[in-house]
Amino acid sequence: MDPYEDFDRTVNLLGSLTLYAHQTCADHHFVALVGPALAASLPPGVLPPLPPGYDPNDGPDYPGCG
């Protein structure tokens, strides 16, 4: 088994989840649950550290599914 196979699969799933999250009427509860779980399965040091005071909820409002 390729040692990077799981890493590659996880990165592909994160990419697909990102595309799904930007579709009209995406289930954002699903995205909020699955995204962090996928990111947590990446090896340490892959993701850059978040800046001090970063708030993921502090950003522009996007149109939802009404």
Side-chain angles (χ1 to χ4, degrees):
M1 177 191 276
D2 178 8
Y4 296 102
E5 185 177 352
D6 285 341
F7 173 80
D8 292 340
R9 184 179 303 121
T10 302
V11 170
N12 284 328
L13 286 168
L14 282 167
S16 295
L17 185 65
T18 301
L19 291 173
Y20 169 72
H22 287 88
Q23 291 183 357
T24 306
C25 295
D27 183 349
H28 294 285
H29 293 277
F30 173 79
V31 173
L33 235 110
V34 173
L38 284 172
S41 71
L42 291 170
V46 172
L47 298 175
L50 296 174
Y54 173 76
D55 181 3
N57 297 314
D58 185 29
D61 290 333
Y62 293 100
C65 296

